[in-house]
Amino acid sequence: MIRIENVAVATVDAAGTEHADGHVVVGDDGRIVAVGAGRATGFDAAERVDGHGCLVTPGLINTHHHLYQWATRGLALDETLFGWLTTLYPIWGRLDAEIVGAAAGAGLGWLALSGCTTSMDHHYVFPREGGDVLAAEIEAARRIGLRFHPTRGSMDLSRKDGGLPPDHVVEDTDEALAATEAAIDRWHDPSPDAMLQIAVAPCSPFSVTTRLMTEAAALARRKGVRLHTHLAETGDEEEFCRNQFGCTPVEYAERVGWLGDDVWLAHGVHLDDSAITRLGATGTGVAHCPSSNARLGAGAARVRELLDRGVPVGLGVDGAASQEVSHLGAELRQALYTARLRGGPKAMDAREALRLGTIGGARCLGRSDHLGSLEVGKLGDLVMWRLDGLGHEGIDDRLAALVFGPPARVELALVGGRPVVKGGELVNADEETLTAGARRAHRRLLETER
């Protein structure tokens, strides 16, 4: 049992409850047993953590990522999405389990240090000689200690058939569907306390056949798991869908069964009013990735309008090859700035940005009953941010300091009550070892290319 006291608390509950001087207690079962103002009473036997100078929030939830891309950061720096993809696809075709495991370990370790306690991953490149790459990233998540939602992605529409990927990185449709079902059967844990859940995630309209999209949706619903894909990220994709399918990306998604409250879509940048209305009406979520969208020049998502129409919106760092920072805490500010660039200073405030990174993400992943806010009975996934140093001192509103100030140090991060970060350092892994592994993975890929 852990008792955090003498700390500012932002619960992100429905009422937006905050305590300037409060407490949070996580029980031995990994769930929150008390949260409120002042000192905790009746928990004297619990390990006490003094949170002076800190803010406790729910752990951040990353709703879109490609962990393998940590091995290909710093490439195709000045390309649009399609140019970036065509540059990197040949390199990704040489991935193997060792490279993916190293990249995932580095990416997840960095996410933990940035305040993330739950992350998804969208892995869709499965080279035939690459080994069990999905198992490699799952093992990396276990090592770091984060709650993990890997998705079994797929691509079956190669360049010769009108898609974007080269032939050697796509799968046979039946093989992709069978491998996806096998991943669900092997790994998915449907329990409320689950540390590992699988979702079904064909890559995108320009890399996947209509048959795979349709049958993947049916498979996911038969198995009772969630669905994820890229949609409406760029103007090029809009043009592709109109040319290939005679409709917009959202109209195509609806046609193939990809709208619903069990679906969350990455990006959703290029959406007209009717598309936003359909997403809201169907409860379809959106993973907002403002830094990646800016890095690729893809545009700025209409997050204010999405929220106003009732669309669940979470935050994602996206793959590290399209957003080298990959810092989920910093993405709070990026989301706020992006919203204000579109709609002015009233378009989003600090508290709404935090909601995107916590309960909004939990809604996208289907975990809002158990994650995303600090409430009695919910899982003890939380972060204690250090906010009394030079970079934050003088911003009296602690939550504003977190969002508007520089990235804050994570003093403590708990997942189910278990520490994964203490004093700004990983508990279960060595940062230098992760760095060395990532360096080797990067060099192996690029040396093979040469």
Side-chain angles (χ1 to χ4, degrees):
M1 182 177 289
I2 295 179
R3 172 175 106 252
I4 305 172
E5 294 181 322
N6 191 29
V7 69
V9 179
T11 68
V12 198
D13 63 9
T17 305
E18 297 178 20
H19 306 289
D21 179 10
H23 66 267
V24 182
V25 183
V26 181
D28 292 333
D29 64 352
R31 289 186 174 268
I32 296 169
V33 295
V35 56
R39 293 189 58 194
T41 58
F43 301 100
D44 292 344
E47 175 188 350
R48 184 179 186 272
V49 175
D50 186 349
H52 176 75
C54 295
L55 169 70
V56 172
T57 71
L60 301 184
I61 296 173
N62 181 35
T63 60
H64 188 62
H65 208 337
H66 309 290
L67 286 164
Y68 73 87
Q69 291 182 13
W70 195 274
T72 54
R73 296 198 300 165
L75 305 177
L77 290 167
D78 304 308
E79 296 284 351
T80 63
L81 175 66
F82 279 18
W84 176 85
L85 284 170
T86 54
T87 299
L88 291 174
Y89 273 141
I91 301 173
W92 295 338
R94 297 189 293 274
L95 290 170
D96 61 27
E98 181 181 358
I99 291 170
V100 170
L108 290 165
W110 183 247
L111 277 174
L113 292 170
S114 78
C116 177
T117 55
T118 297
S119 182
M120 68 81 69
D121 188 57
H122 188 185
H123 192 94
Y124 53 83
V125 182
F126 293 87
R128 290 192 177 276
E129 305 302 322
D132 196 341
V133 293
L134 189 61
E137 68 170 14
I138 288 171
E139 177 55 35
R142 285 178 172 164
R143 187 167 68 252
I144 301 299
L146 293 191
R147 210 174 293 279
F148 197 38
H149 282 239
T151 66
R152 208 299 179 176
S154 50
M155 299 188 293
D156 71 338
L157 185 65
S158 70
R159 192 174 299 151
K160 68 178 175 59
D161 297 319
L164 197 64
D167 297 348
H168 70 283
V169 299
V170 302
E171 297 178 276
D172 171 79
T173 306
D174 290 324
E175 289 178 356
L177 289 165
T180 301
E181 183 163 9
I184 297 167
D185 291 342
R186 179 181 180 187
W187 300 112
H188 182 68
D189 178 0
S191 70
D193 291 4
M195 291 292 292
L196 178 63
Q197 293 195 344
I198 303 293
V200 175
C203 184
S204 64
F206 51 81
S207 60
V208 173
T209 62
T210 296
R211 180 191 161 208
L212 181 53
M213 290 294 288
T214 303
E215 294 191 21
L219 169 63
R221 288 173 176 132
R222 175 165 57 84
K223 289 290 186 176
V225 302
R226 298 182 75 76
L227 300 93
H228 182 65
T229 193
H230 298 95
L231 202 78
E233 182 175 0
T234 68
D236 289 338
E237 182 187 331
E238 172 93 12
E239 182 179 353
F240 179 90
C241 286
R242 289 190 181 278
N243 290 339
Q244 294 293 318
F245 311 123
C247 60
T248 68
V250 169
E251 288 169 343
Y252 176 67
E254 186 159 32
R255 183 184 301 173
V256 295
W258 274 77
L259 296 186
D261 61 6
D262 56 354
V263 179
W264 86 104
L265 307 169
H267 303 297
V269 173
H270 294 269
L271 299 173
D272 59 20
D273 289 346
S274 64
I276 293 174
T277 297
R278 286 304 298 148
L279 296 183
T282 56
T284 306
V286 171
H288 178 39
C289 306
S291 292
S292 176
N293 297 154
R295 199 272 209 188
L296 293 171
R302 300 172 63 190
V303 173
R304 180 70 270 152
E305 292 93 332
L306 288 166
L307 293 170
D308 289 345
R309 304 282 178 86
V311 177
V313 180
L315 289 183
V317 297
D318 204 359
S322 71
Q323 205 276 84
E324 280 77 1
V325 178
S326 298
H327 192 291
L328 193 54
E331 212 68 8
L332 301 174
R333 183 174 66 257
Q334 285 293 98
L336 182 146
Y337 283 0
T338 299
R340 291 185 175 194
L341 282 171
R342 288 194 62 94
K346 303 296 186 184
M348 183 173 292
D349 64 21
R351 283 154 179 81
E352 197 154 33
L354 182 60
R355 290 189 69 82
L356 295 185
T358 54
I359 194 66
R363 290 183 67 196
C364 286
L365 298 186
R367 303 291 297 271
S368 60
D369 287 345
H370 303 280
L371 296 173
S373 61
L374 302 178
E375 301 180 72
V376 171
K378 282 198 167 186
L379 290 165
D381 292 17
L382 58 83
V383 175
M384 188 170 79
W385 310 86
R386 172 66 59 189
L387 295 172
D388 58 355
L390 179 61
H392 300 93
E393 190 57 51
I395 309 175
D396 294 332
D397 181 335
R398 293 290 194 199
L399 204 160
L402 174 66
V403 176
F404 282 93
R409 177 171 120 151
V410 174
E411 197 65 32
L412 178 68
L414 303 180
V415 176
R418 295 181 296 274
V420 296
V421 176
K422 274 188 175 182
E425 296 184 356
L426 297 170
V427 172
N428 303 313
D430 175 68
E431 191 171 343
E432 290 186 5
T433 301
L434 295 176
T435 302
R439 183 184 303 118
R440 286 192 300 271
H442 175 75
R443 289 177 177 173
R444 272 192 59 206
L445 277 179
L446 296 192
E447 286 170 3
T448 304
E449 181 184 24
R450 288 193 290 269

